[in-house]
Amino acid sequence: MKIIDYLKIINEKISFSFLDIITKIYEFKGKQDLYIKNHLDILENMMNVAKIQSVKSSNALEGIYTSDSRLNELINNSDTNLKNRNEREIAGYKIVLEIIHENYEFIEFNKKNILWLHNKLYEFSQIQHKGKFKKTENLILEIDENQNKKIRFEPVKSYEVEKYIDQMIIQYQIAKKEKIPPLILIPIVILDFLCIHPFEDGNGRLSRLLTLLLLYQNGFDVGKYISIEMLIEKSKDFYYDALKKSSDNWHQNQNNPFIFVEYLLTVILNAYQECESRFKLISEINKSKEETILNIIENSVFPISKSQIKEKIYNLSLRTIERYLKKLVDDEKIISINKGRNTKYLIK
């Protein structure tokens, strides 16, 4: 009989490779916090891109697809008519993703909220089992290239689901109080959730949403800016292999969860690395734009207005130019004269 006990992690010997990954994640997390503080103006675009990629990739892992143009329409227009099951499930995922992004601090990790999030996941579907634990047995199947099926894992029985979900949540709360490292704890919780497989449908997609929820609540919010679901989809063979290896002998309490832990930590680290590279690129682009505006002002014989600067940099909006002009004034590199529409700028 399976016994969920996360305090056992305390007695586990963590390898140097794990410690190295965790150390790097914390280093990148510190850098990300600084970038976010200094580049608030660019975050919205990154978050929109990540949201689209997350909705697309997490659904694609379950064979749920639509065209990119239709996906953009579904994500950016809440009034769009949903044409089929795929679109209804994509729209539901978008809803839950936004709920977690905006309200993760207020969503306690408990049974009630897990059921509520599952219900929201199927917000636009007519299925009877949304927001309810499974009533029938389900199997996790493996299908080869010849479409032959075999059982990869047999989850807990339907009548056992609530007991195991309760254990998982209680043990998570105990482990948090005992200061079990969240980067080790969270992947093991998600692994147990997938092994319990509490719902008739939507377990994989909800597991990835719960991953984001727990990461955000523990201060690791890189998934807002870089799609963790996309990185999982790109490495889906390793994802499924890690899940299979870590779930072997789960029912007998003899499974090795650290194979999946290492996989998910690597995904998180890759997300932070990608986030830093994008921030650096944007910083360089921003610096180039700022220097271009500064050079225009330096080379102007007379004080110059923002509209005159716009004529020389046609690919920048007036709003963007205003932002850089404000920064240059704040940095005391230029001064402004007059006010309102008559404002002009010159080198200090």
Side-chain angles (χ1 to χ4, degrees), residues 85-212:
R85 177 182 174 179
N86 279 7
E87 291 192 359
R88 288 191 289 272
E89 298 203 4
I90 287 169
Y93 195 93
K94 171 214 166 188
I95 291 290
V96 180
L97 185 65
E98 289 178 341
I99 288 172
I100 289 173
H101 276 197
E102 296 167 12
N103 302 285
Y104 66 90
E105 297 171 285
F106 311 106
I107 305 172
E108 184 180 348
F109 184 61
N110 58 32
K111 182 168 61 180
K112 178 182 176 182
N113 284 333
I114 289 174
L115 290 168
W116 175 65
L117 290 172
H118 186 267
N119 185 63
K120 298 299 288 185
L121 187 62
Y122 289 93
E123 170 107 349
F124 305 102
S125 301
Q126 300 303 315
I127 61 171
Q128 298 301 310
H129 57 265
K130 60 182 178 181
K132 300 175 183 177
F133 291 133
K134 65 186 181 184
K135 299 297 183 183
T136 58
E137 311 315 326
N138 50 6
L139 299 173
I140 301 174
L141 301 175
E142 187 174 307
I143 305 175
D144 63 22
E145 63 271 12
N146 297 318
Q147 300 304 304
N148 296 314
K149 298 179 181 179
K150 68 176 182 179
I151 297 173
R152 193 179 75 200
F153 184 79
E154 186 172 349
V156 304
K157 301 296 183 182
S158 56
Y159 63 86
E160 296 179 305
V161 165
E162 200 152 354
K163 174 185 71 175
Y164 280 112
I165 288 291
D166 286 338
Q167 275 189 36
M168 180 189 75
I169 292 166
I170 291 170
Q171 286 298 313
Y172 175 75
Q173 293 168 346
I174 292 172
K176 286 273 292 176
K177 289 179 181 178
E178 294 297 323
K179 308 296 183 184
I180 301 294
L183 289 174
I184 299 292
L185 177 61
I186 292 169
I188 296 178
V189 172
I190 297 304
L191 173 68
D192 283 341
F193 176 85
L194 286 166
C195 288
I196 296 168
H197 230 62
F199 299 102
E200 289 186 28
D201 196 13
N203 295 286
R205 294 187 301 147
L206 188 58
S207 76
R208 291 183 282 278
L209 290 162
L210 291 175
T211 300
L212 295 180

Side-chain angles (χ1 to χ4, degrees), residues 307-324:
S307 59
Q308 290 172 316
I309 295 172
K310 166 71 175 155
E311 292 173 3
K312 298 177 183 293
I313 317 178
Y314 64 89
N315 60 333
L316 286 187
S317 67
L318 276 175
R319 187 174 179 180
T320 300
I321 292 170
E322 286 173 356
R323 188 174 73 244
Y324 286 115

Side-chain angles (χ1 to χ4, degrees), residues 43 76-77 82 104 113 125 141 155 168 180 239 260-261 271 274 328 331 342 346:
L43 294 181
N76 295 315
N77 186 356
L82 304 175
Y104 66 90
N113 284 333
S125 301
L141 301 175
M168 180 189 75
I180 301 294
Y239 171 64
F260 184 69
V261 172
E274 177 65 20
L328 287 168
D331 292 343
N342 296 320
L346 68 160

